[in-house]
Amino acid sequence: MPKLTRRRLLCATAPLAAAPLGVTLAFGREAEAAGHDHAGHGGTATRSTAAAGHAAMIGDGAPAVGGPNDLDALLHPPPALPHRPGRVREYTLVARDEELEIAPGVFFPAWTYNGTVPGPVIRATEDDVLRVRFANAGAHPHTIHFHGIHPTNMDGVFEIVGPGEDFTYEFPARPAGFHVYHCHSTPLKKHIHKGLYGAFIIDPKVPRAPARELVMVMNGYDTDGDGENNFYTVNGRTFYYARYPIRVRRGELVRVYLANLTEFDLINSFHLHADFFRYQPTGTGEHWEYTDTVMQCQGQRGVLEVRFAHAGTFMFHAHQSEFTELGWMGYFQVEEP
Ligand code: CU
Ligand code: CU
């Protein structure tokens, strides 16, 4: 059996190699359907099935797992609260080993915070006291390392939490911005790649303008243990937002908290079709870039803001097209106000 590489997954002529995962066959079927749907492009036999499948991946045609509201808790952050220094914001995170279906028929033996990859969105306002109770119900030692400013004994590096143990992190939330958290046990690349990471919003004293707020954590999964990712997603499942497009309204302010926790690949990226957004790296400072594409290395994150000029269906995806075709693609469904 030839080694199953991600490039082989994309190759229409490698059904044998694709078979162990099952999913590629499903992608292939979508691709065939696309070939029939779009007459006039020439013979389907000579076309790239991956490219044809890409065009067909919307609604029920998208190979995504689950129901329409499954990822709501990861997409929609908790509401921002007004600045009130000293208020305590409490969260409980439990590390659990969970087998997650990340694409149809593809199960990933994940290490999770609270049963999902990524873990829950943690949100505080600057100068809140953040108190995170962490219990390790998994089989390996873990921690939570928060990005931000805090004492080093709250940094999730030196206090390793063994299976069955717990630890409470407590520190004032700062600086304002958009951050991430993740396990910092060694080997680090394994603990991150297995799924122990999430989004961490610290709202500024002067609140951001009201907006429809969304969180997107970009990641990858190495399903065959060769140190290369076989699938890419936002918020944990391949093509989920292609199957269930994110509904927004034309003209309203849409704010996306975008972070990259992809292991193994040097960068990931976000590209929006048919409109431009402004982008604030790390959610800090005065500098906003006006663009339709941003890239992030692992741990980088930023805040995107867009008001769609038109109604309709707007694709977004990694601008590494390989990642796109392995699951990192979705749509905004922009409706008239
Ligand atoms: Cu860990
Ligand atoms: Cu980090």
Side-chain angles (χ1 to χ4, degrees):
M1 178 71 67
K3 192 162 94 80
L4 179 68
T5 68
R6 56 187 182 170
R7 283 171 185 82
R8 208 177 280 277
L9 273 170
L10 285 173
C11 180
T13 58
L16 185 66
L21 286 181
V23 69
T24 316
L25 299 177
F27 288 6
R29 273 199 297 276
E30 291 310 324
E32 263 181 64
H36 295 302
D37 286 351
H38 299 270
H41 286 254
T44 56
T46 56
R47 297 169 57 201
S48 151
T49 53
H54 189 164
M57 283 177 194
I58 186 166
D60 290 341
V65 176
N69 302 112
D70 284 7
L71 302 188
D72 281 4
L74 298 175
L75 182 66
H76 304 297
L81 296 184
H83 183 239
R84 179 149 43 91
R87 174 181 49 211
V88 178
R89 299 289 285 274
E90 295 188 89
Y91 292 86
T92 299
L93 266 60
V94 180
R96 291 204 299 260
D97 301 344
E98 295 259 0
E99 188 111 317
L100 299 179
E101 190 174 11
I102 57 147
V106 179
F107 291 85
F108 181 73
W111 299 347
T112 74
Y113 293 120
N114 293 5
T116 60
V117 174
V121 180
I122 292 180
R123 187 167 204 170
T125 305
E126 191 168 34
D127 302 325
D128 280 345
V129 173
L130 189 68
R131 182 180 297 153
V132 180
R133 294 197 176 83
F134 174 52
N136 185 356
H140 302 266
H142 300 303
T143 70
I144 308 175
H145 162 67
F146 293 89
H147 284 221
I149 302 170
H150 45 249
T152 56
N153 65 351
M154 291 291 141
D155 194 42
V157 172
F158 306 112
E159 286 74 20
I160 302 298
V161 184
E165 298 178 350
D166 56 75
F167 187 89
T168 299
Y169 301 91
E170 185 169 322
F171 51 85
R174 66 194 185 100
F178 180 44
H179 311 308
V180 294
Y181 67 89
H182 55 83
C183 183
H184 220 293
S185 292
T186 54
L188 188 53
K189 74 175 179 186
K190 181 159 188 180
H191 284 250
I192 291 184
H193 157 253
K194 288 288 247 176
L196 291 166
Y197 46 76
F200 175 30
I201 300 168
I202 301 182
D203 290 292
K205 292 176 190 176
V206 178
R208 296 179 191 273
R212 186 182 298 269
E213 294 198 319
L214 308 167
V215 175
M216 295 190 190
V217 175
M218 304 187 287
N219 76 344
Y221 296 103
D222 170 13
T223 51
D224 56 6
D226 67 351
E228 280 192 350
N229 290 312
N230 305 94
F231 297 92
Y232 297 86
T233 84
V234 270
N235 293 348
R237 293 186 194 171
T238 61
F239 297 111
Y240 185 81
Y241 300 112
R243 182 161 184 184
Y244 305 109
I246 299 170
R247 302 172 95 84
V248 303
R249 279 196 278 279
R250 181 174 60 80
E252 76 173 337
L253 181 61
V254 176
R255 178 177 300 128
V256 180
Y257 295 91
L258 177 77
N260 178 24
L261 272 305
T262 310
E263 191 57 70
F264 305 125
D265 294 282
L266 294 180
I267 60 167
N268 205 325
S269 58
F270 176 102
H271 168 54
L272 176 64
H273 280 229
D275 214 318
F276 262 54
F277 53 84
R278 64 178 199 148
Y279 180 73
Q280 183 187 39
T282 321
T284 59
E286 300 302 312
H287 172 73
W288 292 80
E289 180 184 1
Y290 189 56
T291 182
D292 62 7
T293 307
V294 291
M295 69 171 181
Q296 296 176 340
C297 73
Q298 188 191 73
Q300 275 192 308
R301 64 278 179 189
V303 175
L304 284 68
E305 291 187 347
V306 58
R307 292 179 195 272
F308 285 94
H310 300 275
T313 306
F314 294 74
M315 183 181 275
F316 62 93
H317 60 84
H319 217 304
Q320 289 98 322
S321 39
E322 181 182 26
F323 294 9
T324 307
E325 286 160 357
L326 291 173
W328 179 175
M329 187 273 281
Y331 300 97
F332 290 102
Q333 186 60 43
V334 182
E335 283 149 9
E336 289 294 346

